[in-house]
Amino acid sequence: MNAVVLSLDAELAWGYHDFEEVPEHVESARTSWSRLLALFDEFNVPATWAVVGHLFLDSCDGTHAGHPTSTGDWFDRDPGGVAAQHPLWFGDGLVDSIVDADANHEIGCHTFSHVEFGDEETDREVAVAEARTGLEVADDAGHTLESFVFPRNNIGHRDVLAAYGFTCYRGERPELWYDGSRFDSLGKLIDLTVSKTNPPLVDPEVDEYGLVNIPASMFLFGYEGRVRTVTERLWDDPLVRSAKRGIDRAADAEDGIFHLWMHPNNFTEERDFERLRTILEHLAARRDEARLQVRTMGDVAGEIRGVDPATTRTPIGPR
């Protein structure tokens, strides 16, 4: 399969609700979300939008009694109320805008309240509640979810995902030569600017639970601020260069997937949107001239499993 997959962690304020402070840039997250949808429409590029389940709600009491974490402080920052009063804590039309877009996007699951499944404090009861509640609120809003993205890429409790009918998840990026070394920053710069083998293409595989692991190839951000500004003055944007290389490798290889991921929250400056526009423009050109496909995570999982996931998964799962 020669394909490019784009996935987004769509979380608004929920991505930071367990931080000491919710960053100021989240205030523009709703606008960023809408602008990204417009960009994807412009180039007819579908993506998997992994949505935090709470964003499917129109209102809540802020406590979520019955959730295993409701007796602690997990929901302390949840303001409750209705979407019109607290737009960064509810979707308020944003999820529907994914469905209404011209590009054929997929809506996936990013848990109900952005719990890290791989955290040692996240026991199976919490994972079950997060998976089940995420599916329930999506189902109530008319959406069926099959793809799963772990908050902060902290993977755990995959058996729970299988039990609740998910078909795939975004797995860890393949290990690179500089990971964990004292040359991490230098290695990243080398790979972004001159390497011919990075970012890696990935080969999705079915894990021991029957889930399709679709590993990430590259995060669209993480090389920002002053370092980015200085680098752009000397060369072009290194992230753009790297993403184009990943797209070209997927187009020219015998087989392989380039999986690019991001958050709507990452887009805080005009140059961030220009970064993505340049990449999508290149992707559209390579798609039109080669055998390259643009697929959602659910598409990839369906092809690998050889089944139509909509006919096999249970919308809510076992109790």
Side-chain angles (χ1 to χ4, degrees):
M1 184 188 310
N2 294 82
V4 171
V5 173
L6 292 93
S7 58
L8 297 95
D9 300 17
E11 48 199 41
L12 299 185
W14 285 96
Y16 307 96
H17 80 104
D18 54 336
F19 283 28
E20 288 188 14
E21 304 241 351
V22 176
E24 290 184 8
H25 71 254
V26 177
E27 293 292 332
S28 62
R30 294 184 64 88
T31 300
S32 297
W33 186 313
S34 298
R35 288 191 63 182
L36 290 175
L37 283 171
L39 266 177
F40 289 132
D41 275 354
E42 181 178 347
F43 295 98
N44 191 28
V45 170
T48 295
W49 292 71
V51 179
V52 167
H54 197 282
L55 299 181
F56 290 100
L57 299 177
D58 294 321
S59 64
C60 76
D61 61 7
T63 61
H64 304 284
H67 192 287
T69 62
S70 63
T71 56
D73 59 1
W74 185 249
F75 291 107
D76 279 359
R77 195 171 258 128
D78 183 352
V82 298
Q85 295 172 323
H86 304 289
L88 295 180
W89 299 90
F90 300 92
D92 193 21
L94 286 179
V95 179
D96 289 337
S97 68
I98 299 173
V99 178
D100 294 339
D102 293 335
N104 190 23
H105 297 297
E106 174 193 19
I107 298 177
C109 183
H110 200 37
T111 74
F112 173 68
S113 63
H114 208 261
V115 167
E116 293 185 51
F117 272 38
D119 190 295
E120 62 182 13
E121 295 185 6
T122 301
D123 60 23
R124 196 175 194 279
E125 182 185 14
V126 171
V128 165
E130 285 287 300
R132 181 178 181 83
T133 309
L135 287 168
E136 285 179 336
V137 294
D139 190 60
D140 289 344
H143 306 289
T144 299
L145 314 181
E146 61 172 290
S147 299
F148 193 94
V149 169
F150 293 94
R152 297 176 191 143
N153 296 305
N154 199 349
I155 296 172
H157 298 289
R158 288 174 293 135
D159 60 317
V160 172
L161 303 190
Y164 279 82
F166 290 100
T167 65
C168 61
Y169 61 92
R170 189 178 71 209
E172 295 179 352
R173 169 181 61 75
E175 187 173 353
L176 300 176
W177 63 271
Y178 54 81
D179 286 341
S181 76
R182 57 181 174 175
F183 305 109
D184 185 273
S185 297
L186 177 60
K188 182 183 292 186
L189 178 61
I190 292 172
D191 268 359
L192 287 174
T193 54
V194 299
S195 172
K196 295 183 179 180
T197 60
N198 189 61
L201 299 186
V202 298
D203 183 19
E205 295 182 343
V206 179
D207 71 8
E208 65 268 36
Y209 300 105
L211 299 166
V212 179
N213 174 12
I214 309 173
S217 297
M218 174 184 160
F219 178 46
L220 186 55
F221 292 83
Y223 194 78
E224 311 305 318
R226 186 166 178 268
V227 175
R228 174 181 176 183
T229 300
V230 171
T231 304
E232 287 176 344
R233 287 172 181 168
L234 299 174
W235 300 290
D236 53 4
D237 184 337
L239 273 298
V240 169
R241 181 183 299 190
S242 187
K244 284 183 176 181
R245 190 164 57 242
I247 292 166
D248 290 340
R249 294 185 66 216
D252 298 334
E254 290 187 10
D255 192 40
I257 290 176
F258 174 58
H259 187 174
L260 180 67
W261 71 279
M262 66 206 80
H263 306 81
N265 290 353
N266 294 135
F267 291 80
T268 61
E269 303 178 66
E270 193 61 34
R271 65 178 180 172
D272 299 330
F273 294 99
E274 286 305 312
R275 168 184 282 175
L276 182 60
R277 170 182 287 280
T278 303
I279 292 168
L280 294 180
E281 191 171 35
H282 184 74
L283 172 57
R286 291 308 316 260
R287 176 190 58 196
D288 293 343
E289 71 185 29
R291 55 184 178 149
L292 185 67
Q293 305 173 66
V294 183
R295 311 293 297 275
T296 64
M297 289 175 58
D299 291 337
V300 172
E303 183 167 334
I304 289 176
R305 297 170 77 239
V307 296
D308 178 359
T311 66
T312 59
R313 72 175 300 278
T314 303
I316 300 300
R319 294 183 181 275

